[in-house]
Amino acid sequence: FDTWINDYHFITLNTEQDLKDNAYLSNEQLSWFDHKLAEYKKENKPVFVYLHQTLYNTVAGSLKNQGWNGITQDEQFRNIISKYKNVLFFNGHSHWDLNSYQTMYTKDDNLPNIFNTASVAYLWSSYYLNTGEYLKGSQGYYVEVYEDKILVLGRDFTNSKWIPSACFIANI
């Protein structure tokens, strides 16, 4: 589904089949998604996109060899969002700690800005093991939108503190 809040576009995607925690996005949903993004491409405003599972090999916890689930139609999804540099894609599933390396994938010629969203229930840490280890905590983001930039500010909800290594400026 999609919705507008204060003139900003928000798109939420979800799996259409139970594939052991992978996201399955049908051709119909992918086409709808591409169409929704294309409608507002000219406005140069951010579009906030949410999907529980990650796009492989982009942010912390998304490496395929780590064993976390991702988007079954990874290539098709990647081809769609690569056309829209105004997208801010928030995804998680791995519960990877916001203090981890590569919490934000900074937009480049291939993809828009992508964020690992951690979890408000429990976390995984990559400090000692490639596949991660359990960590107590609750983390997420505050997002502030300005005319020329977006601040994505990592927050440790358990300790009521900002996470300096997870505070980003996302240009669109």
Side-chain angles (χ1 to χ4, degrees):
F1 69 90
D2 72 319
T3 191
W4 284 84
I5 302 172
N6 296 331
D7 284 335
Y8 292 98
H9 197 190
F10 294 81
I11 300 173
T12 303
L13 303 168
N14 197 11
T15 188
E16 295 178 72
Q17 292 182 13
D18 182 9
L19 297 176
K20 296 184 180 181
D21 292 329
N22 283 306
Y24 176 85
L25 307 176
S26 68
N27 288 335
E28 181 181 355
Q29 184 174 184
L30 290 168
S31 177
W32 172 88
F33 177 53
D34 193 11
H35 176 75
K36 286 294 179 183
L37 290 173
E39 287 177 357
Y40 306 103
K41 184 176 182 179
K42 296 177 186 175
E43 293 197 18
N44 201 29
K45 279 187 134 180
V47 176
F48 300 91
V49 175
Y50 303 92
L51 176 64
H52 183 77
Q53 289 83 354
T54 62
L55 186 61
Y56 285 120
N57 301 319
T58 55
V59 295
S62 71
L63 299 177
K64 228 174 181 177
N65 66 349
Q66 291 172 320
W68 297 103
N69 305 95
I71 303 168
T72 302
Q73 295 77 14
D74 185 272
E75 184 178 342
Q76 296 95 317
F77 188 85
R78 192 177 294 268
N79 288 339
I80 292 169
I81 67 167
S82 68
K83 298 185 291 186
Y84 306 100
K85 301 305 182 197
N86 61 329
V87 164
L88 279 82
F89 179 42
F90 293 87
N91 63 125
H93 184 66
S94 68
H95 293 232
W96 223 257
D97 175 23
L98 291 184
N99 286 298
S100 299
Y101 173 74
Q102 194 71 25
T103 298
M104 174 188 178
Y105 179 99
T106 304
K107 82 172 178 176
D108 58 21
D109 291 339
N110 299 313
L111 292 169
N113 293 303
I114 302 172
F115 298 89
N116 163 45
T117 58
S119 172
V120 295
Y122 64 88
L123 305 168
W124 280 97
S125 167
S126 62
Y127 293 122
Y128 302 109
L129 301 171
N130 288 340
T131 55
E133 61 185 343
Y134 177 80
L135 178 69
K136 287 184 180 181
S138 174
Q139 298 175 343
Y141 292 112
Y142 281 82
V143 178
E144 297 179 9
V145 179
Y146 297 91
E147 190 171 312
D148 61 337
K149 65 183 170 261
I150 297 144
L151 299 181
V152 180
L153 307 171
R155 186 77 175 163
D156 177 338
F157 299 123
T158 302
N159 297 303
S160 299
K161 294 182 180 180
W162 297 109
I163 304 171
S165 63
C167 291
F168 307 103
I169 296 174
N171 297 308
I172 55 166

